[in-house]
Amino acid sequence: MKDKYEQLNRNIEAAVQKSVPCEFSGDFKVFLNTKRNNHPTIIKVIWENKQGLADELPHLVYISREKRPNHPHHYKAGAMNVLARVSGLMTNAPFMLNVDCDMFVNDPKVVLRAMCILLGPKREKEFAFAQFPQVFYDRLKDDPFGNQMIVLFEYMARGMAGLQGVLYSGTGCFHRRQVIYGLSPENIEIGPKDSYNTNAEIIKGKLDEHEQELLQSFGNSKEFARAAASALNGSKTDSAESIQKVVEAGGGLRVGWMYGSTTEDIHTGLIIHKKGWRSALCAPDPPAFLGCAPTSGPSSMTQQKRWATGLLEVLLSKNCPIFFTMFYKLQLRQCMAYVWVLSWGLRSIPELCYALLFAYSIVTNSQLLPKSQEPAFFIPVSIFCIYNLYTLSEYFATGQSIRAWWNNQKMARITTMGPWLLGVLSVVLKILGMSETVFEVTKKDQSTSSTDQDDVDASRFTFDESPVFMPVTALLLVQLIALAMALLGLQPPAHGDHGSGVLEVFGSLWLVLCLWTILKGLFGKGKYGIPLSTIFKSAGFALLFVSLLCR
């Protein structure tokens, strides 16, 4: 396997040096004139273990689904369902490992660790999947883009693991095939293999009698229906003689990964939990899997917008966790955890309004918070100090620095009032039938830099003409105008003693510090500067807001 991998590396390096990666002939002829979103099914058997030897390389098959402009292929969820069907016909193994293309295995004992969780009489009726935390091999120092999620996994993931189970995060996860095929815990009787209840018995050994029902569930592949029957009953099936025949029979309907959301992982995990299944978090040291994090501003914002959009789509759909707690087997505290995660995007609306209140108070010279001579002055001051000290302690507890904490605080404000706000807007337009949400692929460029200067350049925030930067740029300009009015004494007369005070100015100044990355982008050049078109549009919104307040 090592020799094959090194040969592949050499081929890739050689291909990169050419203007055309390869000659489209022979095995590559099928890729000639192939468009990314408009091509037939492409199947290539790269390696076939014909003799089924355990010490040989396993089957390696390249599959690209058919894609047509007017036919939905459901993005990653559609790809996962195709892979589940094909693997069911190739090996029908009882467990499946889901790893993103930008991740690799870092622990040779990862399968053993997962099986220790998923195997056992009681565990087979309890745990549906084992989830490993996402850890990144190309982590920049002090997390300048706020996307390493160390604190999130340490506290949120471990907290949910003590309830009904951790969320399915889309990669680094071992799934029980029976669960992906739709099996519920009550369908399992620990004992003889023929003790599964009616749902599995319909499939077991009765394909001809219930063929129509099976085809409705699994598509038009009788081979896959038989493989699913064997998997649901825990019996072993032999691999087909022809891998090509098996792969060609893999097309069909959805298997386990859910459609209708750009966050198909959370959606799928929610459906699994609603049936009463639990999930387990496995966080070994060293990390089992290492992946690649976004290393630029636009890619980080794209990822955040896609998450906010997909999570809100699930919350506002028929698969809302509140319904699953009322009518199914999702536990109440697990439901509350899901609602907290799924409502991330909605936070953008009150946070934006609250951020604008400081500027409103200064521009109109009206009181928002208590004055310094009032006893209530210490209430917001205490809340501010306690919150920041508590979040800082979380970063210290996970071995991070003050700078990492500050970077995450800044990025939290930018992502909440930027991409999350646009994510909410896209869902609203979808509900109104005016638009459709689009799965935006996150670009993750692998960094090969090793010098200190290269690390500094990689940590610098970059911009493009994406609209995700417009709300936070407009908000920054509003705060700067308000602070300038306070500094130059351009505020209107206050009504008695109810004018703006030191806390309002401090709140506006704190926001400017949180948006310091955007402020630097106003004066940056090239990819490190905000495009002029975005600045002009944001300035227009900012001036409109201030002019309305001055009337």
Side-chain angles (χ1 to χ4, degrees):
M1 186 177 292
K2 181 180 179 181
D3 292 340
K4 293 284 186 181
Y5 178 77
E6 291 178 349
Q7 181 182 357
L8 176 63
N9 272 345
R10 290 193 295 269
N11 291 341
I12 292 175
E13 291 173 359
V16 170
Q17 304 300 324
K18 302 178 181 179
S19 58
V20 179
C22 64
E23 297 180 1
F24 293 101
S25 60
D27 290 339
F28 297 98
K29 187 176 181 181
V30 68
F31 295 99
L32 184 63
N33 298 325
T34 297
K35 296 182 180 179
R36 179 178 178 183
N37 293 317
N38 188 8
H39 62 77
T41 302
I42 301 174
I43 302 170
K44 286 294 177 184
V45 180
I46 300 174
W47 175 267
E48 182 177 358
N49 187 354
K50 297 181 179 179
Q51 298 179 352
L53 299 177
D55 57 348
E56 287 285 340
L57 285 175
H59 302 314
L60 181 59
V61 181
Y62 172 85
I63 303 169
S64 181
R65 297 167 294 154
E66 178 182 8
K67 293 182 180 179
R68 301 301 180 190
N70 298 324
H71 183 73
H73 53 81
H74 305 290
Y75 309 104
K76 183 178 178 180
M80 293 302 301
N81 281 323
V82 169
L83 292 173
R85 297 177 66 89
V86 171
S87 66
L89 292 167
M90 288 173 60
T91 64
N92 211 28
F95 299 99
M96 296 182 290
L97 170 60
N98 168 210
V99 183
D100 279 353
C101 62
D102 58 1
M103 301 192 72
F104 65 88
V105 179
N106 187 55
D107 179 9
K109 295 184 179 180
V110 62
V111 177
L112 176 63
R113 300 185 193 280
M115 293 305 103
C116 288
I117 295 174
L118 298 174
L119 292 178
K122 293 183 179 180
R123 294 174 181 267
E124 289 183 4
K125 195 175 182 179
E126 186 176 8
F127 291 101
F129 59 87
Q131 177 67 59
F132 291 79
Q134 289 195 40
V135 184
F136 306 104
Y137 62 83
D138 60 344
R139 291 191 296 187
L140 296 172
K141 185 179 179 181
D142 297 326
D143 193 10
F145 299 103
N147 53 20
Q148 296 176 15
M149 303 179 291
I150 297 175
V151 172
L152 184 69
F153 271 100
E154 181 66 24
Y155 289 93
M156 187 273 287
R158 291 185 184 275
M160 291 191 69
L163 303 176
Q164 198 172 343
V166 65
L167 300 171
Y168 166 41
S169 59
T171 181
C173 185
F174 283 85
H175 291 275
R176 197 181 298 276
R177 185 179 291 272
Q178 292 174 325
V179 177
I180 293 298
Y181 287 170
L183 195 67
S184 299
E186 64 269 15
N187 297 142
I188 299 178
E189 296 284 347
I190 302 301
K193 290 185 177 180
D194 60 353
S195 58
Y196 295 87
N197 79 351
T198 306
N199 187 34
E201 289 177 359
I202 289 177
I203 301 176
K204 179 184 177 183
K206 300 181 179 180
L207 180 60
D208 295 335
E209 182 179 352
H210 301 281
E211 181 176 318
Q212 189 61 38
E213 182 175 350
L214 288 171
L215 295 180
Q216 291 177 357
S217 300
F218 298 112
N220 57 1
S221 173
K222 293 183 179 180
E223 291 84 356
F224 179 72
R226 292 192 178 93
S230 300
L232 288 168
N233 287 283
S235 58
K236 188 180 185 318
T237 56
D238 296 328
S239 299
E241 297 180 357
S242 171
I243 293 296
Q244 188 71 23
K245 179 180 179 182
V246 167
V247 173
E248 290 174 352
L253 305 179
R254 178 178 60 82
V255 179
W257 276 264
M258 300 301 298
Y259 299 154
S261 168
T262 55
T263 52
E264 74 297 320
D265 45 7
I266 303 291
H267 197 181
T268 302
L270 174 60
I271 297 299
I272 292 174
H273 281 137
K274 83 154 187 180
K275 297 179 180 179
W277 286 105
R278 293 190 61 195
S279 57
L281 175 67
C282 186
D285 188 18
F289 300 95
L290 293 178
C292 181
T295 55
S296 68
S299 59
S300 297
M301 297 299 100
T302 297
Q303 186 180 67
Q304 292 288 343
K305 178 178 178 292
R306 186 178 72 245
W307 286 350
T309 302
L311 294 173
L312 191 56
E313 285 175 329
V314 178
L315 182 65
L316 300 180
S317 71
K318 63 179 181 180
N319 292 326
C320 176
I322 298 175
F323 300 148
F324 291 163
T325 298
M326 296 172 60
F327 305 110
Y328 293 92
K329 298 181 180 180
L330 188 69
Q331 298 176 7
L332 177 60
R333 290 191 297 168
Q334 185 79 2
C335 169
M336 295 171 65
Y338 265 111
V339 170
W340 178 76
V341 173
L342 297 177
S343 60
W344 278 357
L346 293 177
R347 281 175 43 190
S348 60
I349 299 175
E351 184 160 335
L352 179 62
C353 294
Y354 188 62
L356 289 172
L357 279 177
F358 293 110
Y360 170 85
S361 175
I362 296 173
V363 172
T364 60
N365 201 10
S366 56
Q367 185 177 357
L368 173 64
L369 298 172
K371 297 292 183 63
S372 58
Q373 63 271 21
E374 299 176 8
F377 174 83
F378 295 99
I379 296 178
V381 173
S382 299
I383 294 175
F384 175 83
C385 293
I386 291 173
Y387 169 78
N388 285 286
L389 288 175
Y390 176 75
T391 55
L392 182 59
S393 69
E394 292 180 330
Y395 281 81
F396 285 159
T398 54
Q400 299 183 81
S401 64
I402 296 179
R403 190 174 185 85
W405 166 80
W406 176 237
N407 287 335
N408 277 264
Q409 293 299 306
K410 291 191 300 181
M411 289 305 302
R413 307 286 73 77
I414 294 174
T415 57
T416 301
M417 294 180 285
W420 285 12
L421 181 64
L422 292 188
V424 173
L425 179 61
S426 65
V427 173
V428 171
L429 294 177
K430 178 181 178 181
I431 294 175
L432 297 176
M434 301 174 62
S435 177
E436 285 292 334
T437 55
V438 177
F439 188 96
E440 299 172 271
V441 179
T442 305
K443 297 180 180 179
K444 300 178 182 179
D445 301 322
Q446 182 176 353
S447 175
T448 58
S449 62
S450 57
T451 66
D452 293 339
Q453 184 60 43
D454 288 336
D455 291 338
V456 171
D457 291 339
S459 301
R460 295 180 63 184
F461 203 90
T462 57
F463 300 89
D464 62 7
E465 295 183 352
S466 172
V468 296
F469 298 108
M470 194 181 303
V472 287
T473 304
L475 176 64
L476 173 64
L477 294 175
V478 168
Q479 302 300 330
L480 292 176
I481 293 173
L483 290 173
M485 293 181 65
L487 181 64
L488 300 175
L490 301 178
Q491 298 169 278
H495 297 283
D497 295 331
H498 299 290
S500 60
V502 63
L503 286 184
E504 287 82 0
V505 174
F506 176 79
S508 183
L509 183 61
W510 181 259
L511 277 169
V512 172
L513 292 176
C514 290
L515 300 177
W516 191 259
T517 300
I518 306 299
L519 182 61
K520 291 170 61 178
L522 292 176
F523 305 98
K525 296 181 180 180
K527 65 178 182 179
Y528 300 113
I530 301 175
L532 289 177
S533 59
T534 301
I535 295 177
F536 290 149
K537 294 175 185 177
S538 302
F541 283 113
L543 292 174
L544 176 62
F545 177 79
V546 174
S547 63
L548 291 175
L549 298 182
C550 293
R551 287 185 177 181

